[in-house]
Amino acid sequence: MLEQFQNYEEHISKAIDWVWKLVPNIILAILLLVVGLWFVRLINKMVRKFFDKKDYDPTLESFLQSFISIVLKVLLFVLVVTQLGVKTSSLIAIIGAAGLAIGLALQGSLSNFAGGVLILLFKPFKIGDWISAQGVDGSVKEISIFNTKLNTFGNQLAIVPNGQLANGNIVNYSAEPIRRDNYTVGIGYGSNIKKAKDILLELCADDERILKEPKPEVYVAELADSSVNLSLRWWAKNENFWGAKFNLIEQSKLKFDEAGIEIPFPQRVIHSQEIED
């Protein structure tokens, strides 16, 4: 019994000695973590100031800032763990094994990272562009390592994974300086087609936001069931497009009313017949 008690006492003494040896490392690791996080924030702040002074692509700036921040935090984690007494060789082996496991578990995140790199390299869009992708329309607000943030028309924030963006269809409405619209309006079969076409072209000529070159054109697009559909094709700069479009819709209705040109709408005619007894 005495020998067993001495063994317990010896183990407890070794444990206390080990703790006392480890306490300084724990304190240093905590200090290293606090100072390291402050240093990471300082570096990130310096990087932002550097990019603010230089005329770089905002897309590249956003991506590099996110990437630098993550790399610095990973390095800080390695330093802190090493300070706790974990050997570098053992740490590398652990990181390798963990990296394989995490890579298999986070295939989607790795795909998003690769998608972010592809977006950065091929630049299908940049910050400020209005795009349509993955069922979302919005202005590109930020491109980070794993996802892209869009500001929608209703001022909501939409977050789209970069992997889906890089592998899906993207419509970039801001890629070209001017846009074309096909405005279709139906008139009655009894209305004067030439007069309606002249009114639409006059509206284009009177609106300074609609470009005169390429020249606006109007055609009979379809002889529908209850209307003759006219297609007006016109161009405008991106910043003037929506204002010109809404004004054209409103003014065409007013001018057609003044000219007595009917814009048909669905109607149902019901005939009643009396049945004699």
Side-chain angles (χ1 to χ4, degrees), residues 20-113:
W20 278 111
K21 290 180 181 179
L22 188 62
V23 165
N25 290 337
I26 294 176
I27 295 175
L28 289 176
I30 293 174
L31 290 175
L32 180 61
L33 179 63
V34 173
V35 175
L37 289 175
W38 173 83
F39 187 71
V40 168
R41 287 195 296 269
L42 180 63
I43 294 294
N44 289 334
K45 188 176 181 181
M46 293 174 62
V47 170
R48 284 194 298 270
K49 287 185 177 180
F50 172 79
F51 282 130
D52 289 340
K53 293 180 180 179
K54 303 293 183 178
D55 188 19
Y56 289 116
D57 186 352
T59 305
L60 177 63
E61 295 179 14
S62 175
F63 188 90
L64 287 179
Q65 287 177 22
S66 300
F67 183 76
I68 291 172
S69 177
I70 291 177
V71 170
L72 290 176
K73 289 178 180 177
V74 170
L75 291 176
L76 177 61
F77 170 77
V78 172
L79 291 175
V80 171
V81 173
T82 304
Q83 184 61 44
L84 291 175
V86 179
K87 294 182 180 180
T88 305
S89 58
S90 301
L91 182 62
I92 292 175
I94 293 172
I95 291 176
L100 178 61
I102 292 173
L104 293 174
L106 301 178
Q107 293 183 19
S109 296
L110 295 177
S111 174
N112 291 332
F113 175 79

Side-chain angles (χ1 to χ4, degrees), residues 112-270:
N112 291 332
F113 175 79
V117 173
L118 291 176
I119 290 172
L120 182 65
L121 291 176
F122 295 104
K123 298 181 179 180
F125 54 83
K126 62 182 184 297
I127 292 177
D129 284 355
W130 186 275
I131 67 171
S132 177
Q134 300 300 313
V136 180
D137 295 353
S139 175
V140 180
K141 182 179 181 181
E142 180 183 339
I143 303 173
S144 62
I145 291 179
F146 297 110
N147 54 61
T148 295
K149 296 180 180 179
L150 303 180
N151 218 4
T152 67
F153 185 78
N155 200 34
Q156 289 93 19
L157 182 64
I159 300 176
V160 184
N162 284 338
Q164 296 180 14
L165 282 177
N167 295 304
N169 296 327
I170 301 173
V171 179
N172 189 338
Y173 294 98
S174 303
E176 301 295 336
I178 61 175
R179 291 174 60 181
R180 192 186 79 170
D181 184 51
N182 291 341
Y183 171 50
T184 301
V185 58
I187 63 174
Y189 272 92
S191 300
N192 189 318
I193 294 177
K194 184 178 183 307
K195 190 173 184 179
K197 293 171 67 174
D198 290 341
I199 289 175
L200 293 175
L201 292 176
E202 287 174 7
L203 289 175
C204 293
D206 294 340
D207 194 333
E208 296 180 355
R209 293 167 295 191
I210 295 179
L211 299 177
K212 307 307 179 279
E213 288 294 335
K215 187 178 178 181
E217 298 175 324
V218 59
Y219 302 96
V220 175
E222 182 184 10
L223 299 177
D225 292 338
S226 59
S227 66
V228 177
N229 293 334
L230 303 180
S231 176
L232 174 64
R233 303 175 184 180
W234 55 276
W235 297 76
K237 294 182 179 179
N238 282 325
E239 60 270 23
N240 298 329
F241 179 82
W242 289 108
K245 180 181 179 70
F246 294 144
N247 180 71
L248 183 61
I249 294 173
E250 178 181 350
Q251 291 299 318
S252 63
K253 174 64 168 66
L254 296 175
K255 294 296 184 181
F256 281 1
D257 288 346
E258 292 178 5
I261 296 175
E262 177 191 5
I263 299 180
F265 56 90
Q267 302 180 58
R268 177 175 294 177
V269 178
I270 300 176

